[in-house]
Structure formats: C-alpha cells, structure tokens
Amino acid sequence: GQNIDQPTEMTATEGAIVQINCTYQTSGFNGLFWYQQHAGEAPTFLSYNVLDGLEEKGRFSSFLSRSKGYSYLLLKELQMKDSASYLCAVRLTTGGGNKLTFGTGTQLKVEL
Amino acid sequence: DTAVSQTPKYLVTQMGNDKSIKCEQNLGHDTMYWYKQDSKKFLKIMFSYNNKELIINETVPNRFSPKSPDKAHLNLHINSLELGDSAVYFCASSPTGTGIGYTFGSGTRLTVV
C-alpha cells in the first residue's frame, strides 16, 4: 500500500525558518509535490521534485531523496500569511494513469 | 478568469437525495480529477478522466457517478446521499505527463443532514 507521513502540527516564529518533513513508502513513484492550503480554500501548488536534490523558488525550497523516501519543504523569512496546511503528495504511475496521493498535511502556525 | 471552476460552492441536502456537482476547466488540460477532503482534512482521489475516458476509479461506492461530456468538463452525480458523504469535494485538472502541479477548483462543501 501507499504510506505518506508528515507531522500533524508545527509552530514557528515570524521571520524564522521552518522545515516540514515528509516520508513516503510507495510503488510507482513519479514525482513529489508540495501544496499549500489555507483554511476554506483550495490547495495551491508550491513545488515539484522528481530527481534527487534541492529545488528553490523564492522563500520556498523543496528537497527530495528517492533512495530514502524523504522530502522536506523549507520556508524562509516566515510571514503570518504562511500559516496554512502544507500537503505532501506523491504522484504514482499506475496501470491506469497518474494520480496524486496526499499525506494528511502539516498545519503550520506562524506566531509573532 | 477562474482556471478550474466548480459549482455549487455549498450544498446542504437531506439524506436520500440525489445531487450533482459541476466542474469546468479552461486550462486546456487533458486530465481531470475528483478528490474528497474529509473532516480531518485528508485529500483522497476518487476518479480521474483523461480526454473523457475514465482511467482511475478508487473504491468509491457506485452511488457516485462521474460524467465527462468533453475534456474540459467533469461532473459528479451522487445518488441516495448518506451522512458520511458530507465532505469538501475538489475538482482538479492537470496536463498529461509533466511536472506541472494539479490545479484545484475552490471546492464544494457538501453537508448531508
């Protein structure tokens, strides 16, 4: 079966750096995505990794190690608006096509 | 303009009723999806269509029937609604075989009473 684990909650201070980890055990791995979801809104795409290494996009970076089944999302210079749920999702290639399988999400609270 | 739009945004209905949720995307994507997000915020795929063809059907009760009249539209019809169907339903779309993330609609909050 597929298993994707993330911490349930994290708290960090405005201006700081926070790292949200994601571990996965899946078959048919075809990329890892990070999404941000504010309460009552749709998930929005943040980053994508398919090869090992770090992808940087402004204040957000994402890292992947396929051999370890591990990814993290790094948020720098935290702002209050970064308070949201962060969803790790693995794209799987099955006999029928690609699908995103999501972790349960990490609720990040940014405090003053 | 909204890229993936779904209607209605809120739906409150009684047990046993039949209801539909509509979804349209103007991104030119080949593949569309329905996801269900439960009260614990867990997003789970229900269906996937590629160019109007059903390609993924995840152990969803057959009371749920998706319909894709063309590749820009994917509707979800639910028969004989049950209390456990209460959730937020998200439509999404993606281009085939790229690293571009899925684009989600704003969601339909379904409450069955």
Side-chain angles (χ1 to χ4, degrees):
Chain A
Q2 322 296 347
N3 200 30
I4 302 171
D5 289 317
Q6 310 176 228
T8 304
E9 294 178 337
M10 298 183 72
T11 301
T13 305
E14 190 179 34
I17 299 173
V18 72
Q19 177 174 312
I20 302 174
N21 295 325
C22 172
T23 58
Y24 62 90
Q25 293 173 309
T26 63
S27 55
F29 178 85
N30 189 17
L32 188 141
F33 294 77
W34 283 94
Y35 279 81
Q36 180 191 62
Q37 186 177 25
H38 285 100
E41 297 183 11
T44 54
F45 170 70
L46 288 179
S47 69
Y48 167 70
N49 297 70
V50 68
L51 299 176
D52 291 352
L54 189 68
E55 294 285 339
E56 297 186 81
K57 195 187 283 187
R59 294 190 298 116
F60 296 79
S61 304
S62 57
F63 172 83
L64 175 67
S65 168
R66 289 171 297 170
S67 62
K68 295 181 179 176
Y70 168 69
S71 173
Y72 67 72
L73 179 69
L74 195 71
L75 292 79
K76 303 175 188 174
E77 301 168 18
L78 278 171
Q79 302 174 10
M80 298 298 288
K81 68 178 182 179
D82 297 329
S83 292
S85 181
Y86 291 86
L87 307 171
C88 172
V90 175
R91 186 169 64 187
L92 308 172
T93 299
T94 68
N98 293 323
K99 66 176 182 180
L100 275 187
T101 297
F102 284 84
T104 50
T106 298
Q107 188 65 44
L108 174 66
K109 184 178 178 184
V110 180
E111 300 178 327
L112 290 171
Chain B
D1 286 355
T2 305
V4 180
S5 59
Q6 48 181 117
T7 55
K9 190 166 175 63
Y10 299 97
L11 189 52
V12 181
T13 189
Q14 291 187 325
M15 277 174 50
N17 283 351
D18 303 338
K19 289 293 178 186
S20 292
I21 307 172
K22 295 185 175 182
C23 179
E24 176 182 4
Q25 56 98 1
N26 62 5
L27 297 165
H29 290 170
D30 298 323
T31 309
M32 296 184 72
Y33 311 83
W34 278 110
Y35 277 82
K36 179 181 180 181
Q37 189 168 44
D38 60 24
S39 56
K40 294 183 180 178
K41 308 302 181 189
F42 182 54
L43 257 177
K44 186 171 169 54
I45 190 168
M46 300 172 68
F47 301 103
S48 172
Y49 271 73
N50 181 271
N51 283 318
K52 305 191 299 175
E53 298 292 327
L54 177 67
I55 56 172
I56 292 174
N57 182 343
E58 294 280 300
T59 56
V60 177
N62 58 15
R63 297 183 296 105
F64 291 78
S65 51
K67 280 192 173 52
S68 182
D70 55 61
K71 76 172 193 177
H73 295 84
L74 179 61
N75 304 322
L76 183 65
H77 188 76
I78 315 171
N79 289 326
S80 304
L81 277 156
E82 301 177 356
L83 293 176
D85 298 332
S86 295
V88 181
Y89 292 84
F90 286 101
C91 176
S93 71
S94 71
T96 303
T98 73
I100 298 174
Y102 293 16
T103 302
F104 284 83
S106 56
T108 296
R109 181 173 293 277
L110 172 65
T111 304
V112 183
V113 297

